[in-house]
Amino acid sequence: MPQVVRSRNGALHGPSPVPPLPHRFRSLADRESVEVLHRAARILVASLPALTDRLVEALYAQEPAYRAAIDSDRAEVWQEVHHSLRHNVGSLIQPREFRESAHRTSRWIGEIRAEQGVPLDAVLHAFRMGGAMVWQDLVDETARRDPDDIRLLVHVAADVWNFVDEHCGVVADAYRQAERRLSWRRENRQRLMVAALLDGTARIADLAEAAEMLGLPEQGRYAVLAVAVGPRGPGAVAAGGGRGAVPAAASDAGAARHGPGPAARMPVALPAAHPRAAALWHPGPDAEFAILPLTGPPGELSELAAALDVPAGTRAGIGSAVEGLAALGDARRLAETALRACPASGGTVLLDEHLPDALVVSSPALACALADRVLGPLDRLDPADRDVIVETLTAWLDADGSAQRAGTRLYCHRNTVLNRLRRFEQLTGRCLTRPRDAVEVSLALAARRLLGT
């Protein structure tokens, strides 16, 4: 029996990977079985239009995924089925001549069905339905011509179904390859669209398409989150804020680094129960950016900043809310400003709650000049003495001008705080009870803290 199976495979599929037996050992029954198969298959070739009609009707009745395609263009589906049947039935008669063309046809069907979005299970079901119909017609035709030949046809049944399985494998492989290509194109287009939105270079005419592609409302409320790991680079403060801060080359490099999809990497964890957890992430040259759809009350950003899970050493900045996808470029620049206002040690800064710091980092040259003018006299002191005064001044401002609360923070008496403040006034000529001087001192301290002047 193994000898018979190998010889039938050779007749149907070409040379077997196992060396064939010498011709004298091939059985007469085996040759007769193949001849019966060939006779029935030739009759099927002559009646392919009718077979195609029946298979298309069966697909419409039994495979819901094909109904839309058949309703849309029955003639196109008919031609596709007829083309496949012609090559596959021809392969049963002349496997060497038709094998490659039959494979090409199956690959082509797998690719176009993937592009049309027909589920792979439905495509494979359609192929098996076609195989079952062909086999039944082979049996019926053999029984009609000579019922005694049915016993011979049974010997090649396994070969016919192996042939069907082989083409199902070809279809599945082509389908998955096409699906991967389509997925890559779709995700790459999404990355480019997100980059254009965040860069502020997206065309107004493209916003509706972007909204549909990304699943975002065109006129919704948005904010942008910027995240960076590690301390600010030497050029980070002066950079940003201008157009083109997310150049296409950097975006493409980041996309290759972080894998497919605009949401492929999340540097920080967003609250999973909130719709903004589906934020779109995009890599920039110095930071990761996330588009945050906003659907809640005005305090939603404050809640997000408080709930944001930021790893140690990571800096996160959340810009102010903007209206519409067209304003995402502005939202990104606001988020970059918030990020530059983050302490070097890490943390989260919500721009709306740190506007003075944002002013400082937005104009670093002026901020440094102000810091030198206001705090410069302290630089003549011993560093330890200078640091004590700066620490006391900072604690007093953070305590809203309360020497008592500042002393509690510094573990010293309130009079000690007042003495240090008076010394500061004497050294700098500033009066902390004068509003203008207090503002300048606060901004100067922020410049020293954020810019390291």
Side-chain angles (χ1 to χ4, degrees):
M1 182 60 69
Q3 298 172 5
V4 174
V5 172
R6 281 199 294 270
S7 61
R8 284 200 305 272
N9 280 341
L12 285 173
H13 303 300
S16 170
V18 179
L21 294 175
H23 181 73
R24 63 179 180 274
F25 290 108
R26 292 179 180 174
S27 67
L28 180 62
D30 183 47
R31 288 198 300 272
E32 290 177 346
S33 299
V34 173
E35 289 173 0
V36 168
L37 172 66
H38 287 178
R39 283 198 300 270
R42 289 189 186 97
I43 295 174
L44 257 62
V45 170
S47 61
L48 274 183
L51 176 59
T52 302
D53 288 339
R54 287 190 288 119
L55 182 52
V56 171
E57 290 298 329
L59 286 174
Y60 191 87
Q62 301 178 37
E63 185 46 71
Y66 270 77
R67 288 175 190 164
I70 295 173
D71 286 334
S72 175
D73 195 339
R74 177 179 287 264
E76 181 181 356
V77 175
W78 192 96
Q79 288 294 339
E80 173 192 310
V81 173
H82 183 268
H83 194 64
S84 178
L85 287 173
R86 180 163 58 85
H87 283 83
N88 291 336
V89 174
S91 294
L92 297 178
I93 304 171
Q94 296 176 295
R96 293 180 184 273
E97 291 79 359
F98 280 87
R99 180 184 176 87
E100 185 55 38
S101 60
H103 277 198
R104 282 198 302 268
T105 300
S106 296
R107 284 194 294 268
W108 172 70
I109 291 174
E111 290 173 357
I112 64 171
R113 287 294 173 244
E115 293 173 359
Q116 294 170 346
V118 178
L120 177 57
D121 287 346
V123 181
L124 297 179
H125 182 211
F127 262 76
R128 292 191 175 100
M129 286 175 62
M133 191 169 289
V134 167
W135 173 250
Q136 187 61 53
D137 281 10
L138 291 171
V139 172
D140 291 345
E141 182 58 34
T142 302
R144 185 183 67 82
R145 292 177 61 87
D146 190 345
D148 290 340
D149 285 347
I150 293 292
R151 61 183 179 79
L152 297 174
L153 192 62
V154 169
H155 288 297
V156 295
D159 298 310
V160 172
W161 284 106
N162 285 340
F163 177 85
V164 173
D165 287 341
E166 175 187 346
H167 279 263
C168 284
V170 171
V171 168
D173 183 62
Y175 185 102
R176 294 188 182 102
Q177 289 184 22
E179 198 173 39
R180 284 193 292 269
R181 288 196 300 271
L182 291 169
S183 177
W184 182 88
R185 290 173 188 166
R186 181 172 57 253
E187 291 166 354
N188 191 53
R189 182 160 176 75
Q190 286 181 341
R191 279 193 291 267
L192 294 175
M193 184 64 74
V194 171
L197 290 172
L198 290 173
D199 192 35
T201 58
R203 299 182 303 175
I204 298 298
D206 294 335
L207 292 180
E209 180 186 358
E212 181 179 0
M213 180 188 303
L214 302 176
L216 300 173
E218 184 177 350
Q219 300 302 329
R221 290 175 60 247
Y222 297 97
V224 170
L225 166 66
V227 179
V229 179
R232 293 183 292 270
V237 172
R243 296 182 70 83
V246 189
S251 300
D252 292 343
R257 193 171 62 245
H258 297 146
R265 180 186 179 192
M266 293 187 180
V268 300
L270 297 169
H274 197 280
R276 60 178 167 251
L280 296 172
W281 285 96
H282 188 78
D286 300 310
E288 307 280 339
F289 297 93
I291 298 175
L292 303 176
L294 302 178
T295 57
E300 183 179 13
L301 282 178
S302 297
E303 296 175 5
L304 171 61
L308 207 59
D309 184 9
V310 180
T314 299
R315 296 177 294 114
I318 305 174
S320 303
V322 298
E323 295 291 336
L325 291 177
L328 281 177
D330 295 332
R332 191 217 78 228
R333 287 183 280 275
L334 293 172
E336 287 179 323
T337 300
L339 183 63
R340 294 197 301 274
C342 282
S345 58
T348 302
V349 166
L350 177 60
L351 183 65
D352 291 348
E353 297 176 357
H354 294 80
L355 292 176
D357 289 349
L359 287 174
V360 168
V361 297
S362 295
S363 185
L366 291 178
C368 290
L370 176 64
D372 289 341
R373 181 175 179 179
V374 174
L375 303 176
L378 299 182
D379 293 336
R380 295 191 292 269
L381 300 176
D382 179 85
D385 195 13
R386 177 198 62 204
D387 292 345
V388 168
I389 294 179
V390 169
E391 182 184 24
T392 302
L393 188 59
T394 301
W396 179 76
L397 289 171
D398 290 343
D400 298 325
S402 170
Q404 183 68 44
R405 291 202 300 273
T408 301
R409 290 188 183 185
L410 299 172
Y411 303 101
C412 64
H413 195 273
R414 65 180 297 274
N415 289 339
T416 302
V417 172
L418 294 174
N419 289 335
R420 293 173 182 172
L421 295 180
R422 278 194 293 270
R423 189 180 179 201
F424 169 79
E425 291 178 329
Q426 293 168 357
L427 290 169
T428 62
R430 304 284 168 168
C431 179
L432 294 175
T433 58
R434 187 183 301 139
R436 177 169 178 168
D437 285 358
V439 170
E440 289 184 350
V441 169
S442 178
L443 292 175
L445 288 172
R448 284 285 176 95
R449 173 171 50 85
L450 295 171
L451 306 181
T453 60

